[in-house]
Structure formats: structure tokens, C-alpha cells
Amino acid sequence: MKKLNTKFPEDFLWGGATADFQYEGGFNEGGRGILSHDYETAGSNETPRHHTLRNKDGKLITPNSSFILAEDVSNDVEPVFLENEYYPSHQAVDFYHRYKEDIKLMAGVGFNIFRFSVCWSRIFPTGEETEPNEEGLQFYDDVISEMAKYNMEPLITICHDELPMNLVLKYNGWTSRKVIDAYVKYAEVLFKRYGKRCRYWLTFNEINAVRGFGPTGVRKASGKDRYQAAHNMFVASAKAVKLAHRISSDSQVGAMYAMSEQYPATCKPEDIFHHMQARRENWYFVDIMGRGYYPSYAQNLWQRHGFDRLDITLEDTQILKEGQLDYIAFSYYRSNITKAGDAWRNVGGDTNPYLEVTPWGWPIDPLGLRYCMNEIYDRIQKPVFIVENGMGAVDEPDENGYVADDYRIDFLKKHLTAMADAINIDKVPCLGYTMWGPIDLVSLSTGEMKKRYGFVYVDMDDRGKGSLDRTPKKSYTWMKNVIATNGEVLID
Ligand code: BG6
């Protein structure tokens, strides 16, 4: 059998990735303000998560986790915490109090980088203060110092699908340009405080998901509002890139895209053409931020969404040009099928008969990762960085809390091999790989705990009950060997 070269570049960055509201907890500690996710309940694959809000008549309304899709959410809503509801972001898995233990575990597996997101409302509780919350800043300083003990560098996500709740309610999230100013003020504080100890930054997580999920914090929006919100985020990101470069000249700033691969369902020309257009729904975001200008197909795309123009000033155009990303980061979990007549969607579509699926029905497609890396580099010609990948699975610990997760090892092995092929055979420059949720954390889409990605088991159930003790799984030892040999153990 031919052996592939799975050795990675000497300076390859190996790590894990987390998001504050899924991992950190400590929601009412350290002066942290309320975040858009704090009113989001737990759910499951069958029962969507929802927010708990009251309208001005005192009536409870529970829009699903996509604020943006909630037709009945008017300007007069008030968020409420209900006693019989469980809100996963409040405790998450308690990194806030356990960061030393978690960082030690990550160091034990050999990480030289750790991607985490700063909680915006920990730094600016309402987003509108003139001075940042020192206690919040100190928390991340302590985290970075702890990492430094193990020579682990940070990759900081400035905004992971969230907003201080005040900015959601007062300005209808990113539809308002006021939020650009609030973001830039916040980003500047982070660059000044951590810039000497942090080279790699991400301005936004999965920014291309703004149409489907709730990262824009938009309560009610037409198609045009959503794209205007995205434009405002592009401008905010470009301003942040410029600032980061000015404050620390060696900083590298990217943004992160949900780059699930899309395949045409058949070779019928109509399906292929539809696939090209569906793919452009994602490329739109990468092209604008990676190349610094709106692509020629933008207007046609807007028209498909029911509008002709956006509010884009000449100054915005200049900022986008000057604030291009240094690298393109993306999450890769699965591939999808699309065909003529399908509504646009980021994930989903018909079943792919050639692929197996995870327990949550996500198709397992390692080659799709290699495909994506090539596509992005061909198009943008900037290094790529895989900042999320992994398999959500149900783990069954034995009586000692040990999980023999061979299925996860198999998943990771195939994806890392595909990544090595893209690097070594296709010559795609790739900065690193940060696996999603190295220590088990709360699922974004379902709010469940039982959908686990990590190689460290956290003893906690879907309602937040358990000791929260951490126990390395079988994949921990496997991953340790992979990193220690810089990929050589992947060779069959
Ligand atoms: C990405 C997000 O969409 O996928 C993460 O950036 C998320 O926040 C991850 O957790 C996996 O999705 P899920 O729904 O399985 O947690």
C-alpha cells in the first residue's frame, strides 16, 4: 500500500477551539454583562433551542435561537429568565473557574495554540461603556499567562456569534452602524491589551452564517437587513484588521467561515448552475473580506434575496480595500447536497448515498476538507487555517469515567490525512488545525451536552448536572502521539 506523506510543516499550529458562551460560564461573575446567548434555552435535535422574551403586554414569546427569523419579535421585547428553564451559557462547562486544569490538559496533549473567544459583555457589559471592565480583561490576561507557561499561544476570536444584549435590543444588532463603532472600540482594547502576546486573531466566527443563525443579534429583519448587517460586519472587520496591524505589526488577522462543502446532486446542467450560485452564497463573504471588494455577482445575489442596493459608502469601499484579511480561517464538519429548485441553505439537502453520517446526521466527508482547502486557496491565494473540525458523538464512559472513542479517532485520522494531502500534495499553505471543543462543551445548535467533540470527557448532563470532572478519553492519547510526531503516526 502506498504510504502518503502525512508529516506537517515544522511550524504547524496544533490546538483546540472553544467559544465563550459554550465553554466559559461564570455568566454573572467578574462584572460580565448579559449576552445575546444568555436567554437561550437548551434543546435537542428534535426540539429547537429558543429565547425567552416578553412582549410589551407581558406575553411570553419564545423565538427559536435564530433571533433573525423571529417574525413576532418586535422592538418592545424584554428578555426574561424563567425558573423552570435551563440556560446552558450560564455555567457552560465552567472554564471560568477551571481554566488552569483545562490548559494543563491541553498542554498535555501537545497544543502550541488554543483558540478561544473573548466574551464581549465581559469587557463592555452593555457594549456602550467608555471604559472597559478591568476584571474581564484580567481574566483573559490570566488565561494567556497560564498558556504561556506551556508555550501555548492564543488565537483570539473577537466575536463568536454574540452581542451584548443591550446592543441587540437597542439597535437591532448589526443592522445599525452604531454597532460598528462599539465593535471597533472593543477590538482596539483587545489589541492594545493582548497584542504583544497574541499574533493570531479572528474578527468574526462563521460570518457567512448570519443569514441562518443569530450572530447578528438582529431581532427582526428582511433579506436586505440581513445583508446590510453583514456589510456592517465587513466594515467593522476591515477596520479591526487595520487597527491590529497598526498596534502590533506582526499580528495576523483572519475571519472564520462555515465552509461545509456543497456538491451538486447530479450532473444535470441546471443542478450544476444552481450549485455555482449556492456556492456563491458563501463565497460572497470570503471574496469581500479576503479580496477587499464586492464581487461582480453581488447584485445578482441581492436580487435573488429581493433587493437591489445596500447602504455602502465610498469610505466603506476604501476601508474594505485597506482591511483585507491576512488568512482565511474556516470550520469544516460535513458536506451537503444541493440541486435546482432547492432554497439556499448552508447545510442540509438530500442524503449523500456515498457517505456515512454522525449520530446527528452530519455526513462524514474527509475528502471534502481537502476540496475546501484547495478551493479557498485557488480563489483567495492566502494561507488557510482550519479552526474547527471534529465529530459530535454520544460518549459512554465506563465505571471509571473512561471513554474508548475509536469512532472519534477514526474521524480525526481521516480528516487529518485529507488535510496533510492538501498541504503536501496540493501545496495549499495551511497555518494550523484547531479541533473543535477539545474539552467537551455545550453544543451550539442544540444546547445539548451529550453531543460531545472532545478528547477530554466532562461529567455533566444536558441540564448542567454532574461533577464537571475532566477525564481524558482514548482519543487524548492518540492525539498526543499525532502532535508529538507532527503527524507521522497517521501513516498506516
Ligand atoms: C460551529 C460553531 O458552527 O460549529 C461552534 O462555530 C459550534 O460554535 C460548532 O459549536 C459545532 O456545532 P454544534 O452545533 O455541534 O455545537
Side-chain angles (χ1 to χ4, degrees), residues 22 160 205-206 333 362 388 436 443-445 451 453:
Q22 294 170 262
H160 193 117
N205 183 69
E206 295 194 340
Y333 290 96
W362 292 18
E388 280 185 35
W436 178 247
S443 159
L444 172 77
S445 55
K451 188 179 188 188
Y453 286 87

Side-chain angles (χ1 to χ4, degrees), residues 105 165 167 190 218 220 279 337 341 357 365 386 436-437 450:
L105 281 162
M165 196 63 179
L167 298 180
L190 302 190
V218 176
K220 184 169 180 166
R279 206 64 186 133
I337 299 279
V357 297
D365 183 9
I386 297 150
W436 178 247
K450 71 166 183 276

Side-chain angles (χ1 to χ4, degrees), residues 67-71 73 172 174-175 210-213 216 218-230 302 304-310:
F67 260 35
I68 204 166
L69 298 178
E71 291 308 324
V73 180
N172 206 9
W174 280 101
T175 56
V210 294
R211 292 169 311 268
F213 303 144
T216 50
V218 176
R219 293 188 310 276
K220 184 169 180 166
S222 66
K224 180 173 174 177
D225 289 340
R226 296 174 197 182
Y227 281 88
Q228 188 63 51
W302 297 340
R304 286 204 300 276
H305 290 277
F307 64 98
D308 279 313
R309 285 173 59 89
L310 285 180

